[in-house]
Amino acid sequence: MNADGRTRLHQTPEWAALVKHREQLGEVRLREMFAADPGRGTGWTLRVGDLHVDYSKHLVTDETLALLQELAAATGVSGLRDAMFRGERINITEDRAVLHTALRAPRDAVIEVDGENVVPKVHAVLDKMAGFADRVRSGEWTGHTGRRIRNVVNIGIGGSDLGPAMAYEALRAFTDRSLTLRFVSNVDGADLHEAVRDLDPAETLFIIASKTFTTIETITNATSARSWLLDGLGGDEKAVAKHFVALSTNAEKVSGFGIDTANMFEFWDWVGGRYSFDSAIGLSLMIAIGPDRFREMLDGFHLVDEHFRTAPAESNVPLLMGLLGVWYGSFLGAQSHAVLPYSHYLSKFTAYLQQLDMESNGKSVDREGKPVQWQTGPVVWGTPGTNGQHAYYQLIHQGTKLIPADFIGFARPVDELSEELKAQHDLLMANFFAQTQALAFGKTPDEVRAEGVPEELVPHKTFRGDHPTTTILARELTPSVLGQLVALYEHKVFVQGAIWNIDSFDQWGVELGKVLAKRVEPALTEGADVPGLDPSTGALVAAYRELRGRR
Ligand SMILES: O=P(O)(O)OC[C@H]1O[C@](O)(CO)[C@@H](O)[C@@H]1O
């Protein structure tokens, strides 16, 4: 019990029941569970939209799931969810509503923030984006010299980069192949250099994406991009208006930078950075895939929003995925969670989820500001599956760590592949299924012996199994399916934050480094004294100056 009379999470009877259940359950053997319930493979699956979700290979029983559902009920997950959808200020430390779900609501929906229906504003910006995207795609929008735009460079970082960059890769097969899209995020000058070195400034549009328009990496890169453009076009400042647009909530800073606010696409403080690529932040993506495909993606998001909002607890997929993560992290000691897409197009999906999940749930005080006494968000990691198989899967199969994993795969390759390349898809997916099978059921010592393996090698060739996985399978990776997948993970993260009683929508943990970087920079450039610099960092700064040829 807190001083304020609230029972804390780890003191609730529902938590205690799970701790006890964990002890009583002992070792969970998936082979035994499937033997006892052969229907598990077909019965333990759910459907949301186009996503077929199999959770049969998890280290849980019916009782585990029931107890987890009781924990969700006791911690008020559905109440917080409804408050989010209603536009209440559930981001308590920033006193903001959390309404990314309004970004994909249909035109006739009504969602109020402080008594104002925000849906018309959302659609007005989407319409403005669509008008602009069409003009760029058709060639009607030209650069300063009258040439058609052929290159689009998005400059942004974190949520203003990862979402559109990931979705552009994911939906490449739906993009206008005559346009080149690049994404610049790193303040390392090499990033911008490599992005523009083969581009013609007369044909290049820069999209400066920053919610706050104060992020130092983005503003620095945007300033350098402006110099590159003006150098290439003879220095006429008027060129900026035709080659720079901004995506932001901060009109004042945008115009202070020199971008006409007529060329600004707005969003609002109730859209978190890592939840923003379906807002104006998606403009580069919309230019690449066109407004209609973008709308299909938003409809995919909305479909899962509605599922999360209305589906009963037992068949609510984001709720279930969130609960399974709580089980592994808080009760079985898992520290990380792998997301392994078997699709080259999803090569940036896990990197995108890292921000979504780790910036949201990487917290160690609860909503009341008290230190948590339970594990919160996992380390999220992974790369496309077959590549991972030849790198780190060894550790998942035979290492000492418990690593729950999500396997994401598709039944059909994209249409534009040649017949020969399409035929490779079955091999890709054979690996997909084989891995989850091997992870779950392993290979017993007797099975190894039966292959004639010498006794001394048997332990080395034995696979314990019982590595839990969720399999998410869809027909093909379309804009709608991508929207569904992202919304699924957004709400999974929400569920976990709600149970752990943390604010999943702030990110104070990134502030300190930003402040210190500003303080340290003059020491690197001018050798200025940094008040309070610790001895270790001070010595490193001195070594840097020497190596850089500055004394
Ligand atoms: O869009 P902005 O304001 O430039 O911020 C970029 C990113 O920086 C952060 O604030 C911190 O990394 C993220 O939450 C955000 O997505």
Side-chain angles (χ1 to χ4, degrees), residues 277-550:
F277 90 81
D278 43 359
S279 71
I281 290 294
L283 182 64
S284 53
L285 176 68
M286 191 193 267
I287 292 172
I289 63 172
D292 291 345
R293 295 291 197 190
F294 195 85
R295 185 68 241 172
E296 283 171 31
M297 184 185 76
L298 296 185
D299 291 343
F301 272 98
H302 181 65
L303 186 153
V304 173
D305 292 344
E306 284 304 283
H307 166 86
F308 180 50
R309 197 173 65 80
T310 61
E314 321 75 64
S315 54
N316 196 307
V317 180
L319 177 62
L320 178 77
M321 285 174 68
L323 290 174
L324 288 168
V326 169
W327 172 241
Y328 293 117
S330 298
F331 297 96
L332 296 189
Q335 294 286 327
S336 79
H337 184 97
V339 180
L340 308 165
Y342 277 65
S343 163
H344 178 70
Y345 290 108
L346 288 183
S347 58
K348 295 191 172 172
F349 189 66
T350 310
Y352 167 76
L353 291 184
Q354 284 181 324
Q355 188 199 15
L356 176 66
D357 204 322
M358 293 162 78
E359 199 165 83
S360 296
N361 284 344
K363 309 289 164 61
S364 55
V365 294
D366 65 14
R367 290 167 69 87
E368 287 79 45
K370 306 263 182 330
V372 295
Q373 307 288 325
W374 46 92
Q375 287 291 313
T376 60
V379 175
V380 176
W381 61 284
T383 52
T386 43
N387 300 357
Q389 284 173 215
H390 294 273
Y392 49 78
Y393 274 38
Q394 165 66 35
L395 185 144
I396 307 181
H397 281 288
Q398 288 189 315
T400 53
K401 295 176 173 54
L402 171 63
I403 303 174
D406 297 345
F407 278 65
I408 303 171
F410 301 93
R412 290 170 55 107
V414 306
D415 281 343
E416 70 180 30
L417 298 193
S418 69
E419 288 311 311
E420 189 178 1
L421 293 178
K422 276 186 189 148
Q424 293 184 200
H425 194 74
D426 292 325
L427 180 56
L428 170 73
M429 293 305 285
N431 275 281
F432 175 85
F433 295 116
Q435 286 297 328
T436 61
Q437 182 187 7
L439 286 167
F441 304 111
K443 196 171 183 183
T444 64
D446 285 345
E447 286 168 345
V448 177
R449 280 187 199 105
E451 288 174 355
V453 171
E455 196 54 34
E456 69 274 17
L457 287 183
V458 168
H460 298 279
K461 297 200 165 194
T462 297
F463 289 64
R464 185 183 187 286
D466 301 321
H467 300 290
T469 56
T470 299
T471 299
I472 302 176
L473 189 62
R475 188 167 182 267
E476 59 192 319
L477 180 54
T478 61
S480 170
V481 165
L482 181 69
Q484 294 173 39
L485 274 173
V486 174
L488 187 62
Y489 280 94
E490 284 177 348
H491 297 318
K492 178 226 109 154
V493 167
F494 175 92
V495 166
Q496 296 182 334
I499 290 177
W500 291 322
N501 191 30
I502 54 181
D503 188 336
S504 298
F505 302 101
D506 60 15
Q507 57 285 316
W508 300 108
V510 297
E511 292 306 317
L512 179 61
K514 287 188 196 171
V515 173
L516 294 182
K518 275 196 191 138
R519 222 182 276 166
V520 169
E521 199 193 358
L524 306 186
T525 52
E526 301 148 26
D529 272 350
V530 182
L533 197 64
D534 66 274
S536 164
T537 315
L540 286 167
V541 165
Y544 171 85
R545 280 187 58 80
E546 193 178 330
L547 291 167
R548 187 92 159 83
R550 294 178 181 146

Side-chain angles (χ1 to χ4, degrees), residues 7 11 48 55 71 76 92 102 124 184 211 223 311 315 339 373 377 380:
T7 306
Q11 294 160 332
V48 48
Y55 60 102
L71 183 70
I92 44 173
V184 173
K211 179 176 169 181
T223 306
S315 54
V339 180
Q373 307 288 325
V380 176

Side-chain angles (χ1 to χ4, degrees), residues 93-114:
T93 72
E94 296 181 317
D95 192 26
R96 287 178 181 166
V98 174
L99 264 185
H100 41 278
T101 51
L103 298 169
R104 49 264 192 158
R107 214 173 267 277
D108 57 358
V110 177
I111 302 170
E112 294 189 347
V113 177
D114 298 333

